Amino acid sequence: QMSVPAIKCIVEQAAKTIPGLNEINTEVHKTPTGVGIRVKIAVAADVNIPELANKLQTVIKDQLENMAGLAVASVKVLVADITKLQKA
């Protein structure tokens, strides 16, 4: 078992590895088939959004499965905002 705050921490640490991702807000839902993750993100205007979203889904799923041993039912990404500059 893992707490929701711990799962959010893993998700947000994984997200920090993705260039062009400026903000992330994570929701965790426990389902019969595993955890469901929904992230709202703000991205830099100069990134390929579909590529970033796909990479983010993969990184989150891999980290939760490999690091925490969790079954991941879904990872949904919502781009909530586009910012002008990529954060360093």
Side-chain angles (χ1 to χ4, degrees):
Q1 289 287 359
M2 187 168 282
S3 71
V4 169
I7 294 169
K8 285 183 178 183
C9 183
I10 292 170
V11 168
E12 290 167 11
Q13 289 297 319
K16 287 181 182 179
T17 66
I18 311 254
L21 181 61
N22 293 336
E23 293 175 35
I24 185 166
N25 183 341
T26 306
E27 295 174 15
V28 177
H29 306 280
K30 295 189 177 181
T31 72
T33 57
V35 292
I37 307 296
R38 182 166 181 232
V39 292
K40 292 181 184 176
I41 59 172
V43 299
D46 61 344
V47 300
N48 180 319
I49 293 171
E51 186 178 295
L52 182 141
N54 285 335
K55 188 183 290 186
L56 181 60
Q57 286 176 312
T58 301
V59 166
I60 290 171
K61 186 173 189 294
D62 289 350
Q63 283 288 351
L64 289 173
E65 288 177 346
N66 298 330
M67 184 174 160
L70 295 173
V72 179
S74 65
V75 178
K76 296 181 181 175
V77 176
L78 171 67
V79 177
D81 196 13
I82 298 174
T83 56
K84 292 184 184 200
L85 297 173
Q86 182 170 324
K87 287 186 180 175

